Amino acid sequence: MPPKPSAQAILIVGTDTGVGKTSLTAALAAYWCQYYNEASLGIYKPIQSGVGDREFYHATFPFLATNTITPLWFSAPLAPAIAAAKEGKTIDLAIAWQGFQNLVSQKKLVLVETLGGLGSPITFEYLVADLARDWQLETILVVPVRLGSIGQAVANVALARQSKVKLKGIVLNCLTPDAEAEISDLIDPIWLEQLVGVPVLGVLPYNEPLQKGIGERSSLASAAANLDLEYLGLRPQI
């Protein structure tokens, strides 16, 4: 078993790619920086293929260095195992684990964003769910407000239970301006909680700058304030 980290570490996963993992991670990070010393925050994306999240995080939170955000990077925007094979490389999970250990030994909060959902492959034999279990990470599942998301949420929760992942809760994310008004029709939070037995921690509103790859920290922090941060242990005692 890995040693218990000195920092609080939270894994952010989604039901799929492009559903709002980065939105939630950035919102929680911005909220933390609003109330705590930003040097106490770490954001970690163990593996990235192509240009995207680590560059966004560095631009939004310049005190975070890209090499500490992501230790394993491959140029092709493909599944990591395929991207690595195209470069004649292998994915060394020991490097990812060591980078994570370095962060949790230095920070008070480490937000870990992975690729895709719990069923997404990291290598040809190892899933995101396996990493969540082996690293003993409390996990938040991001579910987009759109038709079909209920089934994806049910499948991810089932995999979490099968893989013994510590699923802390679900956050609904509005990908379009109209999504918030359609929640009750598309993915009612009360019904979803009853269906999967996992608490819904709130809704992230639509954030137009974020959809364009621009992280405005004040609006991100405001979005995070809509969530049950006390349950997550992130709300400051003021």
Side-chain angles (χ1 to χ4, degrees), residues 131-166:
L131 182 145
R133 178 199 61 227
D134 293 346
W135 290 18
Q136 297 186 0
L137 292 170
E138 290 190 333
T139 300
I140 301 174
L141 177 66
V142 180
V143 179
V145 178
R146 66 186 181 197
L147 192 64
S149 288
I150 293 177
Q152 290 182 315
V154 170
N156 273 269
V157 171
L159 179 56
R161 291 199 173 107
Q162 176 185 321
S163 302
K164 297 181 172 54
V165 173
K166 300 177 181 178

Side-chain angles (χ1 to χ4, degrees), residues 113-201:
E113 183 195 342
T114 64
L115 55 133
L118 288 169
S120 296
I122 296 175
T123 71
F124 290 115
E125 299 176 337
Y126 195 78
L127 304 179
V128 169
D130 298 321
L131 182 145
R133 178 199 61 227
D134 293 346
W135 290 18
Q136 297 186 0
L137 292 170
E138 290 190 333
T139 300
I140 301 174
L141 177 66
V142 180
V143 179
V145 178
R146 66 186 181 197
L147 192 64
S149 288
I150 293 177
Q152 290 182 315
V154 170
N156 273 269
V157 171
L159 179 56
R161 291 199 173 107
Q162 176 185 321
S163 302
K164 297 181 172 54
V165 173
K166 300 177 181 178
L167 191 55
K168 184 80 170 175
I170 290 170
V171 169
L172 303 182
N173 183 44
C174 296
L175 295 174
T176 65
D178 299 329
E180 202 162 357
E182 298 175 336
I183 287 176
S184 60
D185 293 329
L186 298 177
I187 187 165
D188 181 80
I190 297 175
W191 180 32
L192 182 60
E193 279 192 354
Q194 293 172 343
L195 192 63
V196 300
V198 176
V200 174
L201 306 179

